[in-house]
């Protein structure tokens, strides 16, 4: 948008799930809002409903209702998609005897089980190690806990051995050419069931796709980032948008342990526009973007004391302003990553101009502080996340 303004050019922003900042710009007539009111081929929107799995017997994370839906659509010659935004086989490897959980040696995170390659991996720093034959703490037996796309794929292959089931995530597809070949097979109807992450959520037109099951929508309901719910609504809407595009009505099931969650119910019953308006009201109430402007100072050092000392000194150097609120310093959501301790200081202002004026005076002070301490730091204006 900035480049277009400098060049005097026009910009077209296209999305079924625009960010709240974009919607706010449209509401304030900074953007012209053009609405597409019909789906491709004039097809009806898919039937979307919440499935309460609180008392259901789940097999590898799959409810009997979802498995039955896949079987029904296979019998009808339709394709199905099972969506889980978590790659690997299981997010945790737990000792059944002593309860020990395999940690990442570099991060405040657990190692993810990748059973096909017989390894454990950290999805934050990239650390990889072989899966041990027994618990390194007590020598007991270990069991994978939770689900990833690899586990869902294995469960479906056991349940439907005659079907072609393909997993689509960054572990399986290492190149754009591999993804192109697989998508061509899907378009040709040679793939029966897709299991994947958000790689599958956006932009694809699968004419034979009649069913989508979202295995776990709960992981975003209570995220620490204030944008977690917005991203959940976008992903659910995008996955549902892949279904029923050939003119036949599609079906979407969302597995959840919180079917009474008001925003989740609103998303399913009234769609993304109503969901976004409810989120907008919350953001207005708590003075969060798009009703406030943020800047985030992130710092990494070898010890927590060094991180907090840097941030306290930086906060003391911030030019005084009645319109800028400094929140923190505080540890990052993941306080240790890749061997470094991490912390942050969040600045919030109702005036973008005031925030930028404050940052202009502050930035040289931080740069000088960074040269003195040799700590790694970054100043993120309009941060996409607060991780």
């Amino acid at each position: 948008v900035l480049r277009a303004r400098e060049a005097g050019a026009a910009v077209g922003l296209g999305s079924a799930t625009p960010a709240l900042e974009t919607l706010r710009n449209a509401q304030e007539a900074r953007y012209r809002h053009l609405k597409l009111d019909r789906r491709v081929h004039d097809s009806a929107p898919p039937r979307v409903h919440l499935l309460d799995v609180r008392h259901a017997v789940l097999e590898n994370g799959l409810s009997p209702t979802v498995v039955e839906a896949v079987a029904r659509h296979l019998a009808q010659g339709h394709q199905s998609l099972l969506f889980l935004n978590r790659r690997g086989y299981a997010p945790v490897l737990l000792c059944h005897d002593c309860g020990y959980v395999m940690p990442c040696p570099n991060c405040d995170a657990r190692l993810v089980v990748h059973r096909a390659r017989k390894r454990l991996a950290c999805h934050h720093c990239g650390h990889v190690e072989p899966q041990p034959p027994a618990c390194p703490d007590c020598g007991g037996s270990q069991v994978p806990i939770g689900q990833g796309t690899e586990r869902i794929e294995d469960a479906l292959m056991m349940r439907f051995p005659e079907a072609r089931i393909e997993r689509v995530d960054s572990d399986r597809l290492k190149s754009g050419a591999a993804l192109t070949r697989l998508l061509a097979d899907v378009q040709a109807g040679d793939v029966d069931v897709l299991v994947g992450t958000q790689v599958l959520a956006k932009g694809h037109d699968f004419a034979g796709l009649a069913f989508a099951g979202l295995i776990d929508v709960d992981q975003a309901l209570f995220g620490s980032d204030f944008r977690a719910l917005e991203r959940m609504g976008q992903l659910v809407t995008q996955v549902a948008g892949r279904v029923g595009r050939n003119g036949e009505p599609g079906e979407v099931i969302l597995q959840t342990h919180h079917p009474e969650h008001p925003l989740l119910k609103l998303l399913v019953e009234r769609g993304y526009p109503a969901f976004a308006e409810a989120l907008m009201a919350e953001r207005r109430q708590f003075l969060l973007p798009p009703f406030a402007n943020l800047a985030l100072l992130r710092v990494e050092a070898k010890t927590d004391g060094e991180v907090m000392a840097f941030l306290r000194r930086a906060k003391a150097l911030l030019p005084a302003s009645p319109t800028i609120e400094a929140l923190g310093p505080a540890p990052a959501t993941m306080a240790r990553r890749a061997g470094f301790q991490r912390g942050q200081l969040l600045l919030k202002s109702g005036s973008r101009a005031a925030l930028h004026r404050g940052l202009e005076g502050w930035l040289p002070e931080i740069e000088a502080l960074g040269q003195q301490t040799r700590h790694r730091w970054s100043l993120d204006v309009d941060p996409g996340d607060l991780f």
Side-chain angles (χ1 to χ4, degrees):
V1 171
L2 177 62
R3 182 178 181 185
R5 189 179 70 181
E6 295 293 321
V11 174
L13 304 174
S15 176
T17 55
L20 298 194
E21 288 81 358
T22 300
L23 286 174
R24 180 66 173 165
N25 282 330
Q27 291 172 353
E28 296 189 339
R30 294 193 187 99
Y31 295 170
R32 183 183 176 194
H33 196 177
L34 304 175
K35 298 182 180 180
L36 302 177
D37 296 321
R38 294 182 300 170
R39 297 189 84 208
V40 64
H41 308 309
D42 285 330
S43 57
R47 302 182 300 273
V48 182
H49 67 272
L50 298 173
L51 177 64
D52 185 354
V53 296
R54 284 177 290 190
H55 303 290
V57 177
L58 303 180
E59 184 176 350
N60 294 307
L62 299 175
S63 65
T65 302
V66 165
V67 173
E68 186 277 329
V70 172
R72 175 164 33 87
H73 285 282
L74 280 173
Q76 296 170 356
H78 298 156
Q79 294 170 319
S80 297
L81 163 65
L82 294 186
F83 176 86
L84 178 62
N85 209 23
R86 186 190 297 122
R87 57 193 173 91
Y89 185 83
V92 172
L93 186 62
L94 172 75
C95 177
H96 190 57
D97 295 330
C98 73
Y100 179 77
V101 175
M102 290 293 293
C104 173
N106 308 314
C107 306
D108 290 335
R110 309 301 183 192
L111 293 177
V112 178
V113 182
H114 290 254
R115 195 169 75 166
R117 300 182 183 182
K118 298 180 180 179
R119 69 179 191 181
L120 305 176
C122 176
H123 289 179
H124 299 278
C125 72
H127 172 82
V128 175
E129 62 183 67
Q131 182 172 338
C135 173
D137 203 42
C138 75
S141 59
Q142 296 175 299
V143 291
I145 302 297
Q147 290 78 39
T149 50
E150 189 180 329
R151 188 169 197 164
I152 300 299
E153 177 193 32
D154 285 357
L156 290 171
M157 291 176 72
M158 292 179 62
R159 178 65 176 77
F160 305 106
E162 302 301 320
R164 179 179 173 184
I165 298 165
E166 292 285 355
R167 173 164 52 91
V168 183
D169 57 30
S170 58
D171 290 333
R172 171 63 59 82
L173 301 172
K174 296 298 186 182
S175 69
L179 177 60
T180 299
R181 287 192 297 270
L182 178 57
L183 293 180
D185 287 350
V186 177
Q187 295 283 6
D190 297 332
V191 176
D192 299 305
V193 182
L194 287 164
V195 179
T197 60
Q198 60 186 354
V199 176
L200 281 175
K202 301 179 182 180
H204 304 297
D205 189 4
F206 302 139
L209 187 62
F211 170 71
L214 287 86
I215 305 307
D216 182 9
V217 297
D218 296 338
Q219 54 184 308
L221 293 180
F222 307 103
S224 59
D225 194 298
F226 71 91
R227 288 192 176 93
L229 274 171
E230 179 184 357
R231 295 192 184 104
M232 180 276 293
Q234 290 168 338
L235 273 176
V236 168
T237 305
Q238 290 158 5
V239 172
R242 303 306 105 218
V243 176
R245 298 169 67 90
N246 65 347
E248 297 184 14
E251 179 185 7
V252 179
I253 294 176
L254 280 61
Q255 292 191 167
T256 178
H257 290 84
H258 301 276
E260 73 289 342
H261 193 286
L263 285 173
L264 191 56
K265 290 177 63 177
L266 184 64
L267 177 66
V268 169
E269 294 170 1
R270 297 180 54 194
Y272 186 80
F275 172 81
E277 281 301 315
L279 281 181
M280 196 84 80
E282 282 192 358
R283 300 278 185 89
R284 183 185 291 108
Q285 180 180 357
F286 292 105
L287 293 178
L288 290 169
F291 301 97
N293 306 279
L294 303 180
L296 186 67
L297 175 62
R298 295 183 174 96
V299 178
E300 293 184 351
K302 286 298 183 181
T303 68
D304 178 66
E306 291 174 306
V307 169
M308 290 297 119
F310 186 106
L311 290 171
R312 282 192 293 267
R313 290 176 63 186
K315 185 175 183 179
L317 293 169
L318 180 68
S321 171
T323 59
I324 299 177
E325 182 182 6
L327 304 173
T333 303
M334 180 174 287
R336 184 172 67 101
R337 186 170 69 179
F340 286 88
Q341 296 294 324
R342 306 165 67 238
Q344 55 193 33
L345 179 66
L346 181 66
L347 305 185
K348 183 169 74 168
S349 176
S351 167
R352 178 172 293 278
L355 179 62
H356 282 199
R357 284 194 301 270
L359 294 179
E360 287 173 2
W362 194 39
L363 187 56
E365 302 283 359
I366 302 174
E367 290 174 337
L369 184 58
Q371 291 175 355
Q372 294 172 17
T373 61
R374 300 295 181 184
H375 299 330
R376 299 196 294 194
W377 63 273
S378 65
L379 183 60
D380 191 356
V381 180
D382 297 327
D385 63 71
L386 304 182
F387 181 63

